[in-house]
Amino acid sequence: DSDRRSPHEVVQEIGTQFNLNEAQWQAFSVITRHFIRHHVDKVPMDNHDGRLTMLMTGPGGTGKTHVVKAVQAVMRHYGCAHLIRFLAPTGSAASLINGMTVHKGLGLKIKSLQKGKGNRVPGSSTEDYSVLISVQNRTQLRDEWKNVEYLLIDEVSLLS
């Protein structure tokens, strides 16, 4: 019966199902330990101890996204999939993790200030664009993000 398994057994089983290698297990363990401690064992988070800040690095194809999917599975098992938000800089990277682009997730709209008139080419200056966040969008974002406790940004090397 799955309800009788300990959190350690659940994490072990999911990690095994995902066939994680040693480095992947290390990252997976750090994230799932934090999640289990605060959301299954219900140890309260304080301002200093509660937050997990982690950067998973490695060349393409080493399985960073695979680790993220295993973490998703653990959170889903405990009915906590709503606590995590997945963002990526491109649509194709976002689709691999069932996430959304950074711009969409943060409600950012980019508006061109120039239409390329004159001798300048649009995009040749950072002054050609502005970022817009509407009041309505800000209210919606607050509501969408109010329960999010984990943010994973995939392909972070593409961000500037």
Side-chain angles (χ1 to χ4, degrees):
D1 186 37
S2 65
D3 293 337
R4 296 192 179 168
R5 291 181 296 167
S6 72
H8 175 75
E9 290 170 323
V10 169
V11 167
Q12 283 294 127
E13 183 177 305
I14 290 173
T16 301
Q17 286 172 355
F18 277 79
N19 198 27
L20 301 175
N21 66 32
E22 186 178 341
Q24 292 167 335
W25 264 109
Q26 288 176 343
F28 176 70
S29 295
V30 168
I31 300 167
T32 55
R33 245 191 331 264
H34 184 270
F35 168 75
I36 297 291
R37 177 173 166 81
H38 296 294
H39 297 286
V40 178
D41 297 340
K42 306 281 189 207
V43 174
M45 290 191 213
D46 66 31
N47 290 338
H48 302 288
D49 182 46
R51 184 174 39 206
L52 172 64
T53 304
M54 182 174 162
L55 178 64
M56 245 189 323
T57 62
T62 56
K64 298 177 296 292
T65 301
H66 192 62
V67 171
V68 168
K69 288 181 179 187
V71 169
Q72 274 181 305
V74 171
M75 294 181 92
R76 209 171 18 254
H77 175 84
Y78 286 104
C80 292
H82 64 286
L83 296 178
I84 193 166
R85 179 71 45 98
F86 297 96
L87 303 179
T90 66
S92 57
S95 70
L96 290 174
I97 56 171
N98 295 321
M100 60 183 73
T101 65
V102 172
H103 285 80
K104 172 76 173 159
L106 300 179
L108 302 176
K109 294 191 184 337
I110 308 297
K111 180 181 177 191
S112 174
L113 298 176
Q114 300 280 332
K115 299 286 188 212
K117 295 179 182 171
N119 294 331
R120 287 189 325 149
V121 176
S124 63
S125 167
T126 56
E127 297 171 12
D128 288 339
Y129 299 96
S130 65
V131 177
L132 305 174
I133 303 177
S134 69
V135 172
Q136 176 185 0
N137 203 17
R138 195 172 7 173
T139 304
Q140 181 183 347
L141 282 170
R142 242 186 238 122
D143 188 51
E144 288 175 8
W145 282 84
K146 70 182 177 191
N147 294 319
V148 175
E149 295 186 26
Y150 293 87
L151 169 63
L152 279 95
I153 302 175
D154 203 9
E155 301 295 349
V156 73
S157 64
L158 298 178
L159 297 175
S160 60

